[in-house]
Amino acid sequence: MSNNDVVKADTIQHLQDPELQQLADTISSIVNKTKQGIAASVNTAIVEAYWNIGKHIVEFEQQGEVRAKYGTNLLRNLAKVLGATLGKGFSRPNLQQMRKFYLTYPICQTVSSKLSWSQNQGTGLLAHFA
């Protein structure tokens, strides 16, 4: 009998102890809830970052004007700079999505309520920006 077999047999024996199993279930529940909370916090932070990036892009484009000037290639040039300094995730299409995200939800509180709803539905807003 190998050490692995002994560990398996010992684990099976412990699983038959209802009090030990209840403790293990409680600890598993704590760990799983913590993981969910961490994921939700990270998702919220990323969504807020994308919203703020979109806001800064729009404000830079418009420079106090009602509408942005066309033909500046801002997103293409910005994507090159950010790609070189931050790596993947800041391509022109992604920056366009972040810009659109801010324009769609110009008030950050709206984003938070939509994020909470989407997480409860099992889909995150991040899927739209990945």
Side-chain angles (χ1 to χ4, degrees):
M1 189 178 260
S2 72
N3 282 344
N4 224 6
D5 292 334
V6 171
V7 170
K8 286 180 185 176
D10 192 40
T11 301
I12 291 169
Q13 182 179 8
H14 287 303
L15 288 176
Q16 294 172 354
D17 179 349
E19 290 175 351
L20 182 61
Q21 185 58 50
Q22 184 177 8
L23 176 60
D25 291 345
T26 300
I27 292 170
S28 293
S29 177
I30 291 168
V31 170
N32 289 330
K33 285 180 184 179
T34 301
K35 286 179 181 180
Q36 290 172 349
I38 290 168
S41 294
V42 169
N43 284 345
T44 298
I46 291 172
V47 168
E48 287 177 3
Y50 288 171
W51 184 88
N52 278 305
I53 291 167
K55 178 180 185 230
H56 285 281
I57 290 170
V58 168
E59 289 174 352
F60 184 89
E61 282 178 324
Q62 294 180 349
Q63 296 181 356
E65 301 295 323
V66 176
R67 298 189 70 144
K69 294 178 184 175
Y70 292 99
T72 63
N73 290 317
L74 171 67
L75 295 182
R76 180 173 295 131
N77 295 332
L78 185 59
K80 288 178 185 176
V81 171
L82 293 177
T85 58
L86 298 175
K88 296 171 101 178
F90 296 94
S91 64
R92 186 183 55 79
N94 283 355
L95 293 173
Q96 286 175 319
Q97 287 295 325
M98 292 174 204
R99 183 183 173 281
K100 183 178 178 182
F101 184 41
Y102 170 74
L103 292 171
T104 302
Y105 301 101
I107 301 171
C108 194
Q109 182 59 37
T110 304
V111 174
S112 297
S113 65
K114 296 291 183 185
L115 178 62
S116 296
W117 177 85
S118 66
Q119 286 176 337
N120 291 336
Q121 298 300 313
T123 61
L125 285 176
L126 295 179
H128 300 288
F129 302 100

